[in-house]
Amino acid sequence: MSTIDTSAASYLESLRSNTATQNESESERNTMGQEDFFSLLTTQLAAQDPTNPASNEEMISQMTSFTMAEGITDLGDKFDTFTSQFSEFLANNTVNQTSNKALQASSMVGRQVLVESEQAALFQVGEEEYMMPAQLLFEGGMNDIRVNVQDSSGKTIQTLELGATSEGPLTYTWDGKNSSGEQMPAGLYTIKATGIDPSSGQRTSITNGSYSTVSSVRFGAGNALDMNLAGLGNYSMDDIIEVAP
């Protein structure tokens, strides 16, 4: 029957404990604090050769070096604290910006806005009344302005003769009737507008802008706000050219 040497076990346990304590305190011993520095400086002064003492410049240089090193360490600690607080601020600020953006966007619901679009929506606004509000986007004057309204097949069903204007943009409406006087159904129609540029005398294309009502808003990719425009579909907040009063 074997026996355990308790004295040997106690010795090993004590050795492990001492080794752990030494490892834990090693980093502390390798770090010189302010008290350690002045203790070392005092010892240095007591042990120096009286016939050849350290000069004032040398003493000041040692103290300056220690002060700078300690100051840099303190600065690093303060900078880490600042970085952490600033990151927290940015996170909170981003949330606040997103909330404010959503609040502003929600106020757009029900408002009529203008966006650049080759397609325009014909709305039924009464029992037998239809209207397509739109705007031609150009600057300066324009002569012999024509707006061709095309159906889904690309066929021109009506041409609006808007004449000339000395300054753009130019707002217009279509009542939804084709060239034969027949009422067309509500929906999307394609607009092809042209006019004669007074400066060149050439017929040129004109960009069309369509009015529609904001039905809803939502956050899209990258927290971008998208608007659902009645009859036109989804547009970005950045696409808004004008908000009707």
Side-chain angles (χ1 to χ4, degrees), residues 91-163:
N92 293 335
N93 197 42
T94 300
V95 172
N96 292 336
Q97 287 180 348
T98 302
S99 300
N100 291 338
K101 200 172 181 181
L103 184 61
Q104 292 174 357
S106 64
S107 67
M108 294 291 294
V109 176
R111 302 290 298 275
Q112 192 177 57
V113 298
L114 177 69
V115 294
E116 182 180 323
S117 176
E118 190 179 53
Q119 291 188 312
L122 176 66
F123 299 100
Q124 184 172 0
V125 295
E127 187 175 343
E128 296 182 357
E129 185 180 1
Y130 292 75
M131 181 175 67
M132 184 195 74
Q135 186 178 103
L136 299 180
L137 307 174
F138 62 90
E139 296 179 355
M142 194 70 70
N143 297 328
D144 194 19
I145 301 170
R146 297 176 187 173
V147 175
N148 292 326
V149 183
Q150 301 177 349
D151 61 15
S152 58
S153 67
K155 177 184 177 181
T156 298
I157 58 175
Q158 179 62 282
T159 298
L160 307 177
E161 300 284 352
L162 303 182

Side-chain angles (χ1 to χ4, degrees), residues 52-92:
N52 186 26
S55 66
N56 292 337
E57 290 78 7
E58 185 179 352
M59 299 296 296
I60 293 173
S61 176
Q62 291 184 29
M63 287 188 288
T64 301
S65 298
F66 176 79
T67 303
M68 288 180 63
E70 188 176 36
I72 291 174
T73 301
D74 291 342
L75 181 61
D77 294 340
K78 291 177 181 178
F79 185 76
D80 290 340
T81 302
F82 169 76
T83 301
S84 176
Q85 293 175 345
F86 187 66
S87 298
E88 183 178 354
F89 166 77
L90 286 180
N92 293 335

Side-chain angles (χ1 to χ4, degrees), residues 25-38:
S25 61
E26 183 177 354
S27 59
E28 297 179 1
R29 292 200 307 270
N30 291 333
T31 302
M32 177 181 287
Q34 191 177 52
E35 293 183 3
D36 298 325
F37 172 77
F38 283 113

Side-chain angles (χ1 to χ4, degrees), residues 190-225:
T190 300
I191 302 299
K192 299 290 186 182
T194 61
I196 296 178
D197 186 344
S199 60
S200 65
Q202 300 294 318
R203 181 165 291 278
T204 182
S205 297
I206 302 175
T207 301
N208 185 72
S210 298
Y211 283 101
S212 183
T213 302
V214 180
S215 300
S216 61
V217 293
R218 67 179 181 86
F219 281 106
N223 265 355
L225 277 168

